[in-house]
Amino acid sequence: MNEGLRTGGSGTPVELSTDEVAGLLEEVADTVIEPHFGALSKAEIHQKSHPGDLVTDADRQAERVISARLRRLTGAVVVGEEAAFTDPTILDALPGADQAWVIDPIDGTSNFVKGSDDHAVMLAEVRSGRTVRGWIWQPRHRHMYIAESGAGLYRDGVRITRGPAGDPVVAATTHRSFQQTVAPEGGPRLEWTWSRWCCGVDYPRLCTGEVDATVYTHSHPWDHLPGALMLRELGGVVRTVDGTDFGTVEMPGRPLVAAADETAYRTVAAALRGL
């Protein structure tokens, strides 16, 4: 895995070691996020754009700390979920930036509020519109997932591999309407299960073979960039139902299928096109 030192100059992306970034996420989780776990007051929990879309003071504080540290160390563009909610134009710089960091300070905030261990801190490094590194830290499960483009996926320092999707293809989602679909005849059967309401848990489950696909109704970059890189490093795909590969920008109104391989993708996408 990348252990390079900073090599930045004017206009040159600054290299932080992969382990240094991982350490930052663990530090912020331990000092800023986890002290609030199971101890949030009502005044620290806030509603965002629609019912169930929550943000806490811990989300905001963690994002501020991570953002400030990355800006100071690299001078790069930083896109945080909560900052982008306040000012969506922040996202405009992401596709063309030489170097950008995309932060989800607490993925699975609703789980975090409810006292569920299924939450995560996620970070992606994007260079010239391409995700080159991704981190998912699960503070309660104590697992660190790290992917580097072309170098594979590691959990806690051990390389992960997974086999192809089986029959039936097991797909996860939070949406009942999706679970009513069935695979077309002539291919693998399709079995639906519930996702964990947290991309920082759902993508690792995909990568380790617990499920073969997960379907989302949103494509926010902070939710998907780290996990999409991890899945692709294992031969998986992340595409809309109509076949468009997920990049670095949101594609609203188009269900997104993260799948272990082409077979799983085709099975799930064909079922969803029947909606």
Side-chain angles (χ1 to χ4, degrees):
M1 300 207 304
N2 187 356
E3 299 298 331
L5 299 176
R6 302 178 186 87
T7 58
S10 178
T12 302
V14 176
E15 186 76 25
L16 298 182
S17 79
T18 299
D19 289 343
E20 183 176 4
V21 177
L24 169 61
L25 301 187
E26 290 191 43
E27 174 193 335
V28 172
D30 288 345
T31 61
V32 177
I33 297 171
E34 292 308 300
H36 292 274
F37 183 73
L40 287 164
S41 69
K42 290 184 178 179
E44 295 174 305
I45 305 168
H46 313 280
Q47 188 75 50
K48 291 170 72 173
S49 56
H50 57 79
D53 187 10
L54 303 178
V55 61
T56 71
D57 290 354
D59 291 76
R60 292 168 173 169
Q61 185 181 357
E63 182 172 302
R64 286 195 295 268
V65 173
I66 296 170
S67 297
R69 188 83 63 88
L70 292 174
R71 286 195 184 98
R72 178 173 62 82
L73 292 174
T74 69
V77 169
V78 177
V79 175
E81 175 183 3
E82 307 313 330
F85 175 75
T86 302
D87 179 10
T89 63
I90 290 173
L91 285 164
D92 295 343
L94 180 57
D98 290 338
Q99 182 183 31
W101 302 96
V102 181
I103 307 165
D104 192 337
I106 304 178
D107 186 59
T109 298
S110 294
N111 290 348
F112 181 75
V113 168
K114 294 173 184 175
S116 167
D117 290 349
D118 287 342
H119 58 273
V121 185
M122 303 202 299
L123 180 69
E125 183 184 12
V126 177
R127 297 197 182 188
S128 302
R130 177 172 167 266
T131 307
V132 296
R133 291 189 289 180
W135 295 258
I136 295 177
W137 170 237
Q138 300 171 339
R140 306 297 296 184
H141 299 305
R142 308 305 294 179
H143 288 309
M144 176 69 76
Y145 294 82
I146 298 174
E148 299 184 45
S149 181
L153 169 62
Y154 290 79
R155 179 179 63 187
D156 307 330
V158 178
R159 188 160 187 163
I160 291 177
T161 60
R162 71 151 290 165
D167 185 353
V169 169
V170 178
T173 184
T174 61
H175 296 273
R176 293 185 184 277
S177 61
F178 293 164
Q179 293 196 354
Q180 295 170 1
T181 62
V182 296
E185 293 184 5
R189 295 168 294 135
L190 178 58
E191 179 181 297
W192 287 101
T193 187
W194 294 106
S195 85
R196 299 294 178 86
W197 293 86
C198 173
C199 292
V201 174
D202 288 337
Y203 272 103
R205 291 179 73 214
L206 261 170
C207 291
T208 57
E210 291 183 52
V211 295
D212 300 312
T214 304
V215 183
Y216 301 95
T217 57
H218 63 82
S219 51
H220 308 312
W222 45 81
D223 283 328
H224 295 284
L225 289 178
L229 175 62
M230 294 175 186
L231 190 58
R232 287 167 176 158
E233 284 297 299
L234 299 177
V237 300
V238 183
R239 296 184 188 135
T240 60
V241 169
D242 61 12
T244 303
D245 285 320
F246 174 70
T248 58
V249 297
E250 189 171 359
M251 298 179 287
R254 304 159 76 181
L256 193 67
V257 180
D261 54 25
E262 292 287 347
T263 296
Y265 170 78
R266 288 194 299 268
T267 300
V268 174
L272 294 179
R273 283 195 292 268
L275 280 175

